[in-house]
Amino acid sequence: MTSKTVLAAPARRREAALRLRSARLSYGERVLWDGLDLDIRPGEFLAVLGPNGSGKTSLMRVLLGQQQLSSGSAEVVGHPAGKANHRIGYIPQQRALDSQLVLRGRDLVGLGLDGHRWGLGLRGRAERRRRVDRVLAEVGATEYADQPVGLLSGGEQQRLRVAQALVGDPELLLCDEPLLSLDLANQRVVSELIDARRRSAGTAVLFVTHEINPVLPLVDRVLYLVDGRFQIGSPDEVMTSENLTRLYRTPVDVLRVRGQIVVVGAQNSAHHLPEGS
Ligand code: ADP
Protein backbone atom coordinates (compact mmCIF):
# COMPACT_ATOMS: atom_id res chain seq x y z
CA MET A 1 0.00 0.00 0.00
CA THR A 2 1.48 3.35 -0.94
CA SER A 3 1.43 6.08 1.61
CA LYS A 4 -0.37 9.22 0.64
CA THR A 5 0.47 12.70 1.69
CA VAL A 6 -2.61 14.11 3.31
CA LEU A 7 -2.77 17.81 2.71
CA ALA A 8 -4.33 19.80 5.47
CA ALA A 9 -7.49 21.52 4.35
CA PRO A 10 -7.01 25.28 4.28
CA ALA A 11 -8.29 26.99 7.40
CA ARG A 12 -11.93 27.83 6.74
CA ARG A 13 -13.65 30.80 8.18
CA ARG A 14 -16.87 29.43 9.52
CA GLU A 15 -18.70 32.62 10.25
CA ALA A 16 -20.88 34.17 7.61
CA ALA A 17 -19.38 37.25 5.97
CA LEU A 18 -22.70 38.93 6.54
CA ARG A 19 -25.65 37.99 8.72
CA LEU A 20 -29.00 39.74 8.90
CA ARG A 21 -31.67 38.52 11.30
CA SER A 22 -35.28 39.75 11.24
CA ALA A 23 -33.90 42.97 9.79
CA ARG A 24 -36.32 45.81 9.32
CA LEU A 25 -35.62 49.25 7.96
CA SER A 26 -38.29 51.89 7.78
CA TYR A 27 -38.23 55.63 7.33
CA GLY A 28 -41.37 56.95 8.99
CA GLU A 29 -44.32 55.08 7.49
CA ARG A 30 -42.25 53.72 4.66
CA VAL A 31 -41.00 50.17 5.18
CA LEU A 32 -38.05 49.32 2.92
CA TRP A 33 -37.74 45.75 4.14
CA ASP A 34 -38.94 43.74 7.10
CA GLY A 35 -38.20 40.20 8.30
CA LEU A 36 -35.03 40.01 6.22
CA ASP A 37 -32.92 36.98 7.17
CA LEU A 38 -29.79 36.61 5.12
CA ASP A 39 -26.40 34.96 5.48
CA ILE A 40 -23.72 35.38 2.84
CA ARG A 41 -21.09 32.67 3.15
CA PRO A 42 -17.42 33.26 2.35
CA GLY A 43 -16.89 33.28 -1.41
CA GLU A 44 -20.58 33.67 -2.23
CA PHE A 45 -21.72 36.13 -4.89
CA LEU A 46 -25.06 37.76 -4.06
CA ALA A 47 -26.67 40.19 -6.48
CA VAL A 48 -29.05 42.77 -5.00
CA LEU A 49 -31.65 43.84 -7.52
CA GLY A 50 -34.63 46.15 -7.39
CA PRO A 51 -36.01 49.41 -8.72
CA ASN A 52 -34.82 52.82 -7.53
CA GLY A 53 -35.87 53.53 -3.98
CA SER A 54 -36.19 49.88 -2.97
CA GLY A 55 -33.46 50.17 -0.33
CA LYS A 56 -30.33 48.77 -1.98
CA THR A 57 -28.10 51.67 -0.93
CA SER A 58 -29.67 51.69 2.52
CA LEU A 59 -28.71 48.03 2.91
CA MET A 60 -25.07 48.87 2.25
CA ARG A 61 -25.26 51.77 4.69
CA VAL A 62 -26.62 49.41 7.34
CA LEU A 63 -23.71 47.01 6.79
CA LEU A 64 -21.22 49.88 7.16
CA GLY A 65 -22.89 51.03 10.37
CA GLN A 66 -23.99 54.32 8.81
CA GLN A 67 -27.69 53.51 9.15
CA GLN A 68 -29.33 51.85 12.14
CA LEU A 69 -31.85 49.08 11.55
CA SER A 70 -35.34 49.82 12.84
CA SER A 71 -35.26 46.33 14.39
CA GLY A 72 -33.35 43.06 14.05
CA SER A 73 -29.61 42.64 13.78
CA ALA A 74 -26.85 43.02 11.20
CA GLU A 75 -23.39 41.46 11.56
CA VAL A 76 -20.31 41.55 9.36
CA VAL A 77 -17.82 38.69 9.91
CA GLY A 78 -19.24 38.07 13.36
CA HIS A 79 -19.20 41.70 14.53
CA PRO A 80 -22.02 44.19 14.79
CA ALA A 81 -22.30 46.23 11.58
CA GLY A 82 -19.96 49.22 11.73
CA LYS A 83 -17.38 47.45 13.92
CA ALA A 84 -15.69 45.55 11.10
CA ASN A 85 -15.43 48.15 8.35
CA HIS A 86 -11.72 47.41 7.91
CA ARG A 87 -12.77 43.95 6.72
CA ILE A 88 -15.03 45.40 4.03
CA GLY A 89 -13.92 46.55 0.57
CA TYR A 90 -16.13 49.00 -1.29
CA ILE A 91 -16.30 49.46 -5.06
CA PRO A 92 -18.33 52.51 -6.09
CA GLN A 93 -19.88 53.40 -9.43
CA GLN A 94 -17.45 54.51 -12.09
CA ARG A 95 -17.41 58.28 -12.30
CA ALA A 96 -14.83 60.18 -14.25
CA LEU A 97 -12.19 61.63 -11.95
CA ASP A 98 -11.18 65.25 -12.41
CA SER A 99 -8.66 65.39 -15.26
CA GLN A 100 -6.59 67.83 -13.13
CA LEU A 101 -6.20 65.25 -10.36
CA VAL A 102 -2.48 64.63 -9.96
CA LEU A 103 -2.80 61.70 -7.51
CA ARG A 104 -1.03 58.68 -9.00
CA GLY A 105 -2.80 55.38 -9.50
CA ARG A 106 -0.73 53.68 -6.81
CA ASP A 107 -1.58 56.45 -4.33
CA LEU A 108 -5.30 56.00 -4.97
CA VAL A 109 -4.90 52.27 -4.30
CA GLY A 110 -2.83 52.93 -1.16
CA LEU A 111 -5.75 54.90 0.30
CA GLY A 112 -7.46 51.54 0.69
CA LEU A 113 -4.89 50.49 3.33
CA ASP A 114 -5.35 51.09 6.99
CA GLY A 115 -2.37 53.36 7.77
CA HIS A 116 -1.82 52.02 11.27
CA ARG A 117 -1.77 48.33 10.46
CA TRP A 118 1.92 48.04 9.57
CA GLY A 119 3.18 51.19 11.22
CA LEU A 120 4.87 54.05 9.45
CA GLY A 121 8.47 52.86 9.80
CA LEU A 122 10.63 51.51 6.99
CA ARG A 123 9.24 47.99 7.29
CA GLY A 124 5.70 49.28 7.33
CA ARG A 125 6.29 51.33 4.20
CA ALA A 126 7.90 48.36 2.44
CA GLU A 127 4.94 46.15 3.34
CA ARG A 128 2.46 48.74 2.09
CA ARG A 129 4.36 49.06 -1.17
CA ARG A 130 4.49 45.28 -1.60
CA ARG A 131 0.75 45.01 -1.10
CA VAL A 132 -0.03 47.86 -3.47
CA ASP A 133 2.27 46.38 -6.14
CA ARG A 134 0.66 42.97 -5.75
CA VAL A 135 -2.88 44.24 -6.16
CA LEU A 136 -1.91 46.53 -9.05
CA ALA A 137 -0.57 43.43 -10.82
CA GLU A 138 -3.73 41.49 -9.92
CA VAL A 139 -5.97 44.02 -11.69
CA GLY A 140 -3.52 44.58 -14.56
CA ALA A 141 -2.82 48.23 -13.68
CA THR A 142 0.94 48.09 -13.10
CA GLU A 143 1.68 49.79 -16.40
CA TYR A 144 -0.14 53.02 -15.55
CA ALA A 145 0.24 52.95 -11.76
CA ASP A 146 2.54 55.96 -11.72
CA GLN A 147 0.43 58.16 -13.96
CA PRO A 148 -1.94 60.82 -12.63
CA VAL A 149 -5.36 59.16 -12.30
CA GLY A 150 -7.15 62.10 -13.91
CA LEU A 151 -5.52 61.26 -17.25
CA LEU A 152 -6.60 57.61 -17.31
CA SER A 153 -9.61 56.16 -19.13
CA GLY A 154 -12.82 55.27 -17.26
CA GLY A 155 -11.99 51.57 -17.45
CA GLU A 156 -8.46 52.13 -16.11
CA GLN A 157 -9.79 54.26 -13.27
CA GLN A 158 -12.30 51.58 -12.37
CA ARG A 159 -9.59 48.90 -12.22
CA LEU A 160 -7.79 51.12 -9.74
CA ARG A 161 -10.96 51.42 -7.64
CA VAL A 162 -11.23 47.63 -7.63
CA ALA A 163 -7.57 47.47 -6.53
CA GLN A 164 -8.25 50.01 -3.79
CA ALA A 165 -11.13 47.87 -2.53
CA LEU A 166 -9.02 44.69 -2.62
CA VAL A 167 -5.72 45.94 -1.21
CA GLY A 168 -6.78 45.49 2.42
CA ASP A 169 -7.75 41.83 1.77
CA PRO A 170 -11.42 42.30 2.66
CA GLU A 171 -13.70 39.44 3.62
CA LEU A 172 -16.76 41.20 2.24
CA LEU A 173 -16.86 43.27 -0.94
CA LEU A 174 -19.68 45.77 -1.28
CA CYS A 175 -20.11 46.67 -4.93
CA ASP A 176 -22.38 49.64 -5.67
CA GLU A 177 -23.26 49.34 -9.37
CA PRO A 178 -19.57 49.18 -10.29
CA LEU A 179 -20.26 48.43 -13.98
CA LEU A 180 -22.46 51.45 -14.61
CA SER A 181 -21.17 53.57 -17.51
CA LEU A 182 -18.44 51.09 -18.43
CA ASP A 183 -18.34 49.65 -21.94
CA LEU A 184 -18.95 45.92 -22.38
CA ALA A 185 -15.26 45.00 -22.46
CA ASN A 186 -14.56 46.84 -19.20
CA GLN A 187 -17.74 45.47 -17.58
CA ARG A 188 -16.32 42.08 -18.25
CA VAL A 189 -12.86 42.94 -16.95
CA VAL A 190 -14.22 44.37 -13.70
CA SER A 191 -16.65 41.51 -13.03
CA GLU A 192 -13.96 38.93 -13.76
CA LEU A 193 -11.56 40.63 -11.32
CA ILE A 194 -14.21 40.46 -8.59
CA ASP A 195 -14.99 36.85 -9.45
CA ALA A 196 -11.31 35.86 -9.42
CA ARG A 197 -10.79 37.34 -5.96
CA ARG A 198 -13.82 35.66 -4.41
CA ARG A 199 -12.68 32.32 -5.82
CA SER A 200 -9.04 32.68 -4.77
CA ALA A 201 -9.56 34.31 -1.36
CA GLY A 202 -13.12 33.38 -0.39
CA THR A 203 -14.20 37.01 -0.35
CA ALA A 204 -17.98 37.30 -0.15
CA VAL A 205 -19.54 39.67 -2.69
CA LEU A 206 -22.67 41.77 -2.33
CA PHE A 207 -23.22 43.28 -5.74
CA VAL A 208 -25.90 45.94 -6.17
CA THR A 209 -26.99 46.23 -9.77
CA HIS A 210 -29.84 47.27 -12.02
CA GLU A 211 -28.75 44.83 -14.66
CA ILE A 212 -28.13 41.21 -13.78
CA ASN A 213 -27.01 40.03 -17.22
CA PRO A 214 -23.35 41.15 -17.10
CA VAL A 215 -22.87 39.14 -13.88
CA LEU A 216 -25.46 36.39 -14.40
CA PRO A 217 -22.86 33.60 -14.83
CA LEU A 218 -21.25 34.62 -11.51
CA VAL A 219 -24.35 35.06 -9.36
CA ASP A 220 -25.04 32.40 -6.70
CA ARG A 221 -28.10 34.06 -5.25
CA VAL A 222 -30.27 37.10 -5.82
CA LEU A 223 -31.91 39.35 -3.26
CA TYR A 224 -34.72 41.09 -5.15
CA LEU A 225 -36.24 44.07 -3.33
CA VAL A 226 -39.44 45.79 -4.45
CA ASP A 227 -41.38 48.32 -2.43
CA GLY A 228 -41.16 46.55 0.94
CA ARG A 229 -41.32 43.01 -0.49
CA PHE A 230 -38.35 40.79 -1.28
CA GLN A 231 -37.28 37.36 -2.40
CA ILE A 232 -33.98 35.51 -2.00
CA GLY A 233 -32.86 32.53 -4.09
CA SER A 234 -30.89 31.43 -7.11
CA PRO A 235 -31.44 33.48 -10.30
CA ASP A 236 -33.57 30.62 -11.68
CA GLU A 237 -35.73 30.58 -8.58
CA VAL A 238 -36.21 34.33 -8.27
CA MET A 239 -36.26 35.55 -11.86
CA THR A 240 -39.58 34.09 -12.96
CA SER A 241 -42.70 35.81 -14.29
CA GLU A 242 -44.69 34.54 -11.34
CA ASN A 243 -42.30 35.89 -8.69
CA LEU A 244 -41.73 39.27 -10.25
CA THR A 245 -45.46 39.70 -10.87
CA ARG A 246 -45.98 39.08 -7.15
CA LEU A 247 -43.16 41.42 -6.09
CA TYR A 248 -44.16 44.26 -8.43
CA ARG A 249 -47.91 43.63 -8.03
CA THR A 250 -48.32 44.15 -11.74
CA PRO A 251 -48.06 41.69 -14.64
CA VAL A 252 -44.42 41.08 -15.50
CA ASP A 253 -42.95 38.66 -18.03
CA VAL A 254 -39.49 37.25 -17.56
CA LEU A 255 -37.99 36.01 -20.82
CA ARG A 256 -34.79 34.11 -21.46
CA VAL A 257 -33.16 35.21 -24.67
CA ARG A 258 -29.77 33.81 -25.68
CA GLY A 259 -28.83 33.13 -22.08
CA GLN A 260 -29.85 36.63 -20.98
CA ILE A 261 -32.79 37.57 -18.78
CA VAL A 262 -35.22 40.16 -20.10
CA VAL A 263 -37.87 41.52 -17.77
CA VAL A 264 -40.88 43.08 -19.45
CA GLY A 265 -43.49 44.89 -17.39
CA ALA A 266 -46.59 46.87 -18.19
CA GLN A 267 -44.72 50.16 -18.42
CA ASN A 268 -41.25 49.05 -19.12
CA SER A 269 -39.19 47.22 -21.65
CA ALA A 270 -35.84 47.34 -19.89
CA HIS A 271 -34.38 44.87 -17.47
CA HIS A 272 -35.88 46.38 -14.35
CA LEU A 273 -39.07 48.25 -13.74
CA PRO A 274 -39.07 51.88 -12.68
CA GLU A 275 -40.35 52.77 -9.24
CA GLY A 276 -44.10 52.73 -8.91
CA SER A 277 -44.79 50.84 -12.13
P1 ADP B 1 -32.02 52.42 -3.76
O1 ADP B 1 -30.56 52.38 -3.49
O2 ADP B 1 -32.62 51.06 -3.96
O3 ADP B 1 -32.40 53.35 -4.88
P2 ADP B 1 -32.20 53.81 -1.23
O4 ADP B 1 -31.72 52.88 -0.19
O5 ADP B 1 -31.25 54.89 -1.69
O6 ADP B 1 -32.76 52.98 -2.46
O7 ADP B 1 -33.49 54.58 -0.71
C1 ADP B 1 -34.68 53.90 -0.42
C2 ADP B 1 -35.73 54.92 -0.03
O8 ADP B 1 -35.47 55.41 1.27
C3 ADP B 1 -35.78 56.12 -0.95
O9 ADP B 1 -37.13 56.44 -1.15
C4 ADP B 1 -35.07 57.20 -0.17
O10 ADP B 1 -35.59 58.46 -0.48
C5 ADP B 1 -35.40 56.82 1.26
N1 ADP B 1 -34.34 57.21 2.19
C6 ADP B 1 -33.03 56.87 2.09
N2 ADP B 1 -32.34 57.37 3.15
C7 ADP B 1 -33.25 58.03 3.92
C8 ADP B 1 -33.16 58.75 5.18
N3 ADP B 1 -32.00 58.88 5.83
N4 ADP B 1 -34.30 59.28 5.68
C9 ADP B 1 -35.47 59.13 5.03
N5 ADP B 1 -35.64 58.47 3.86
C10 ADP B 1 -34.54 57.92 3.32
Side-chain angles (χ1 to χ4, degrees):
M1 206 168 103
T2 54
S3 65
K4 279 188 189 164
T5 310
V6 179
L7 294 174
R12 293 240 166 89
R13 289 187 301 272
R14 271 173 302 159
E15 75 238 6
L18 177 167
R19 173 165 291 161
L20 293 166
R21 287 290 176 273
S22 306
R24 173 188 170 95
L25 183 62
S26 54
Y27 296 119
E29 299 272 281
R30 174 129 193 244
V31 178
L32 293 188
W33 18 270
D34 192 10
L36 181 55
D37 290 317
L38 175 66
D39 281 6
I40 305 188
R41 58 180 190 277
E44 188 177 13
F45 194 118
L46 179 103
V48 182
L49 293 169
N52 290 337
S54 57
K56 304 183 294 298
T57 307
S58 298
L59 175 60
M60 282 196 280
R61 296 187 59 227
V62 164
L63 298 174
L64 290 164
Q66 296 168 356
Q67 173 68 50
Q68 290 294 309
L69 286 173
S70 311
S71 59
S73 63
E75 285 182 1
V76 172
V77 287
H79 300 275
K83 302 283 184 213
N85 287 2
H86 59 290
R87 294 165 81 174
I88 297 179
Y90 176 74
I91 308 178
Q93 293 172 13
Q94 148 34 46
R95 285 200 186 88
L97 293 165
D98 184 348
S99 63
Q100 305 292 314
L101 195 58
V102 293
L103 191 75
R104 296 174 309 165
R106 66 169 57 254
D107 301 327
L108 184 79
V109 173
L111 294 175
L113 283 174
D114 176 356
H116 301 293
R117 207 141 125 210
W118 300 286
L120 298 170
L122 261 185
R123 278 183 63 183
R125 285 207 299 273
E127 174 63 13
R128 289 172 67 87
R129 185 169 175 102
R130 200 176 61 75
R131 284 175 174 260
V132 170
D133 282 342
R134 197 174 60 196
V135 78
L136 283 166
E138 181 178 339
V139 305
T142 306
E143 212 176 286
Y144 47 86
D146 291 307
Q147 293 183 28
V149 288
L151 299 180
L152 301 175
S153 71
E156 289 167 340
Q157 290 176 358
Q158 195 64 340
R159 282 189 198 218
L160 291 170
R161 289 191 185 92
V162 173
Q164 188 190 59
L166 296 182
V167 71
D169 288 332
E171 287 171 71
L172 174 64
L173 257 187
L174 299 182
C175 308
D176 187 3
E177 307 227 27
L179 309 183
L180 216 62
S181 77
L182 290 177
D183 58 32
L184 278 179
N186 279 303
Q187 285 186 3
R188 194 167 182 165
V189 165
V190 168
S191 28
E192 283 174 0
L193 289 173
I194 295 168
D195 187 49
R197 177 58 82 105
R198 65 132 179 173
R199 288 182 192 282
S200 66
T203 311
V205 179
L206 185 149
F207 195 101
V208 169
T209 182
H210 275 87
E211 173 58 272
I212 194 175
N213 287 314
V215 289
L216 189 57
L218 315 181
V219 171
D220 295 311
R221 284 189 301 160
V222 170
L223 164 62
Y224 210 124
L225 300 166
V226 185
D227 200 17
R229 295 172 293 282
F230 64 84
Q231 188 170 357
I232 303 170
S234 69
D236 282 343
E237 286 165 348
V238 174
M239 304 297 287
T240 66
S241 302
E242 193 185 355
N243 281 325
L244 296 200
T245 295
R246 180 180 59 78
L247 286 173
Y248 282 99
R249 292 187 172 158
T250 189
V252 173
D253 287 313
V254 178
L255 312 172
R256 295 266 181 174
V257 184
R258 297 185 189 205
Q260 306 251 300
I261 294 178
V262 182
V263 177
V264 186
Q267 297 169 41
N268 125 302
S269 58
H271 166 71
H272 75 281
L273 300 177
E275 191 178 11
S277 61

Short mmCIF file of all heavy atoms in Angstrom, two decimals, residues 6-28:
data_model
loop_
_atom_site.label_atom_id
_atom_site.label_comp_id
_atom_site.label_asym_id
_atom_site.label_seq_id
_atom_site.Cartn_x
_atom_site.Cartn_y
_atom_site.Cartn_z
N VAL A 6 -1.30 13.49 3.08
CA VAL A 6 -2.61 14.11 3.31
C VAL A 6 -2.39 15.60 3.50
O VAL A 6 -1.71 16.02 4.43
CB VAL A 6 -3.30 13.51 4.55
CG1 VAL A 6 -4.64 14.18 4.78
CG2 VAL A 6 -3.44 12.02 4.37
N LEU A 7 -2.93 16.36 2.59
CA LEU A 7 -2.77 17.81 2.71
C LEU A 7 -3.82 18.36 3.66
O LEU A 7 -4.99 17.98 3.58
CB LEU A 7 -2.94 18.47 1.34
CG LEU A 7 -1.87 18.14 0.31
CD1 LEU A 7 -2.24 18.75 -1.03
CD2 LEU A 7 -0.52 18.64 0.76
N ALA A 8 -3.37 19.18 4.55
CA ALA A 8 -4.33 19.80 5.47
C ALA A 8 -5.25 20.71 4.68
O ALA A 8 -4.81 21.42 3.78
CB ALA A 8 -3.57 20.60 6.52
N ALA A 9 -6.54 20.62 5.00
CA ALA A 9 -7.49 21.52 4.35
C ALA A 9 -7.17 22.94 4.79
O ALA A 9 -6.74 23.16 5.92
CB ALA A 9 -8.91 21.17 4.77
N PRO A 10 -7.29 23.91 3.87
CA PRO A 10 -7.01 25.28 4.28
C PRO A 10 -7.95 25.69 5.41
O PRO A 10 -9.09 25.23 5.47
CB PRO A 10 -7.29 26.11 3.01
CG PRO A 10 -8.05 25.22 2.10
CD PRO A 10 -7.76 23.81 2.51
N ALA A 11 -7.44 26.53 6.29
CA ALA A 11 -8.29 26.99 7.40
C ALA A 11 -9.53 27.66 6.82
O ALA A 11 -9.42 28.50 5.93
CB ALA A 11 -7.51 27.97 8.25
N ARG A 12 -10.68 27.25 7.25
CA ARG A 12 -11.93 27.83 6.74
C ARG A 12 -12.51 28.77 7.77
O ARG A 12 -12.61 28.42 8.93
CB ARG A 12 -12.94 26.71 6.48
CG ARG A 12 -12.51 25.80 5.37
CD ARG A 12 -13.56 25.83 4.25
NE ARG A 12 -13.00 25.24 3.05
CZ ARG A 12 -13.07 23.94 2.78
NH1 ARG A 12 -13.69 23.15 3.61
NH2 ARG A 12 -12.55 23.47 1.68
N ARG A 13 -12.91 29.93 7.29
CA ARG A 13 -13.65 30.80 8.18
C ARG A 13 -15.06 30.24 8.24
O ARG A 13 -15.66 29.97 7.21
CB ARG A 13 -13.70 32.22 7.61
CG ARG A 13 -12.39 32.92 7.67
CD ARG A 13 -12.57 34.35 7.24
NE ARG A 13 -13.11 34.44 5.88
CZ ARG A 13 -12.36 34.45 4.79
NH1 ARG A 13 -11.08 34.40 4.89
NH2 ARG A 13 -12.92 34.54 3.61
N ARG A 14 -15.54 30.03 9.43
CA ARG A 14 -16.87 29.43 9.52
C ARG A 14 -17.97 30.48 9.55
O ARG A 14 -19.07 30.22 9.14
CB ARG A 14 -16.96 28.52 10.75
CG ARG A 14 -16.52 27.10 10.41
CD ARG A 14 -16.47 26.28 11.64
NE ARG A 14 -15.56 26.89 12.61
CZ ARG A 14 -15.58 26.65 13.91
NH1 ARG A 14 -16.46 25.85 14.40
NH2 ARG A 14 -14.72 27.23 14.71
N GLU A 15 -17.62 31.66 10.08
CA GLU A 15 -18.70 32.62 10.25
C GLU A 15 -19.12 33.20 8.89
O GLU A 15 -18.30 33.29 7.97
CB GLU A 15 -18.29 33.77 11.19
CG GLU A 15 -17.34 34.77 10.59
CD GLU A 15 -16.05 34.87 11.40
OE1 GLU A 15 -15.87 34.08 12.33
OE2 GLU A 15 -15.24 35.72 11.05
N ALA A 16 -20.39 33.54 8.82
CA ALA A 16 -20.88 34.17 7.61
C ALA A 16 -20.20 35.53 7.46
O ALA A 16 -19.89 36.19 8.44
CB ALA A 16 -22.39 34.36 7.72
N ALA A 17 -19.96 35.93 6.20
CA ALA A 17 -19.38 37.25 5.97
C ALA A 17 -20.38 38.33 6.36
O ALA A 17 -20.02 39.43 6.78
CB ALA A 17 -19.00 37.39 4.50
N LEU A 18 -21.64 37.97 6.25
CA LEU A 18 -22.70 38.93 6.54
C LEU A 18 -23.89 38.16 7.10
O LEU A 18 -24.19 37.06 6.62
CB LEU A 18 -23.07 39.58 5.21
CG LEU A 18 -24.19 40.58 5.07
CD1 LEU A 18 -24.05 41.23 3.73
CD2 LEU A 18 -25.55 39.96 5.17
N ARG A 19 -24.49 38.69 8.13
CA ARG A 19 -25.65 37.99 8.72
C ARG A 19 -26.70 39.01 9.12
O ARG A 19 -26.45 39.89 9.93
CB ARG A 19 -25.20 37.18 9.94
CG ARG A 19 -26.33 36.57 10.71
CD ARG A 19 -25.85 35.51 11.66
NE ARG A 19 -25.39 34.35 10.92
CZ ARG A 19 -24.59 33.42 11.42
NH1 ARG A 19 -24.14 33.52 12.65
NH2 ARG A 19 -24.23 32.38 10.69
N LEU A 20 -27.87 38.88 8.52
CA LEU A 20 -29.00 39.74 8.90
C LEU A 20 -30.06 38.84 9.52
O LEU A 20 -30.34 37.75 9.00
CB LEU A 20 -29.61 40.43 7.67
CG LEU A 20 -28.74 41.48 6.97
CD1 LEU A 20 -29.33 41.82 5.60
CD2 LEU A 20 -28.63 42.73 7.81
N ARG A 21 -30.61 39.28 10.63
CA ARG A 21 -31.67 38.52 11.30
C ARG A 21 -32.86 39.44 11.56
O ARG A 21 -32.72 40.47 12.23
CB ARG A 21 -31.17 37.96 12.63
CG ARG A 21 -30.21 36.80 12.48
CD ARG A 21 -30.94 35.54 11.95
NE ARG A 21 -30.01 34.46 11.71
CZ ARG A 21 -29.33 34.26 10.59
NH1 ARG A 21 -29.49 35.07 9.55
NH2 ARG A 21 -28.51 33.24 10.46
N SER A 22 -34.02 39.01 11.04
CA SER A 22 -35.28 39.75 11.24
C SER A 22 -35.07 41.25 11.01
O SER A 22 -35.57 42.08 11.76
CB SER A 22 -35.81 39.55 12.66
OG SER A 22 -35.93 38.20 12.96
N ALA A 23 -34.28 41.56 9.99
CA ALA A 23 -33.90 42.97 9.79
C ALA A 23 -35.06 43.77 9.20
O ALA A 23 -35.71 43.34 8.25
CB ALA A 23 -32.68 43.06 8.88
N ARG A 24 -35.28 44.92 9.81
CA ARG A 24 -36.32 45.81 9.32
C ARG A 24 -35.73 47.21 9.21
O ARG A 24 -34.99 47.65 10.09
CB ARG A 24 -37.48 45.84 10.33
CG ARG A 24 -38.55 46.87 10.01
CD ARG A 24 -39.56 46.95 11.16
NE ARG A 24 -40.46 48.06 11.00
CZ ARG A 24 -41.67 47.98 10.44
NH1 ARG A 24 -42.12 46.81 10.02
NH2 ARG A 24 -42.44 49.03 10.32
N LEU A 25 -36.03 47.85 8.10
CA LEU A 25 -35.62 49.25 7.96
C LEU A 25 -36.82 50.03 7.46
O LEU A 25 -37.40 49.72 6.42
CB LEU A 25 -34.45 49.39 6.97
CG LEU A 25 -33.93 50.82 6.82
CD1 LEU A 25 -33.38 51.36 8.13
CD2 LEU A 25 -32.85 50.89 5.75
N SER A 26 -37.18 51.03 8.23
CA SER A 26 -38.29 51.89 7.78
C SER A 26 -37.89 53.34 8.02
O SER A 26 -37.12 53.64 8.93
CB SER A 26 -39.57 51.55 8.52
OG SER A 26 -39.36 51.61 9.91
N TYR A 27 -38.37 54.19 7.15
CA TYR A 27 -38.23 55.63 7.33
C TYR A 27 -39.64 56.16 7.52
O TYR A 27 -40.42 56.18 6.57
CB TYR A 27 -37.59 56.29 6.11
CG TYR A 27 -36.17 55.84 5.82
CD1 TYR A 27 -35.84 55.20 4.62
CD2 TYR A 27 -35.15 56.08 6.73
CE1 TYR A 27 -34.54 54.80 4.35
CE2 TYR A 27 -33.84 55.68 6.46
CZ TYR A 27 -33.55 55.05 5.28
OH TYR A 27 -32.26 54.66 5.01
N GLY A 28 -39.99 56.53 8.74
CA GLY A 28 -41.37 56.95 8.99
C GLY A 28 -42.32 55.81 8.67
O GLY A 28 -42.12 54.69 9.11
#
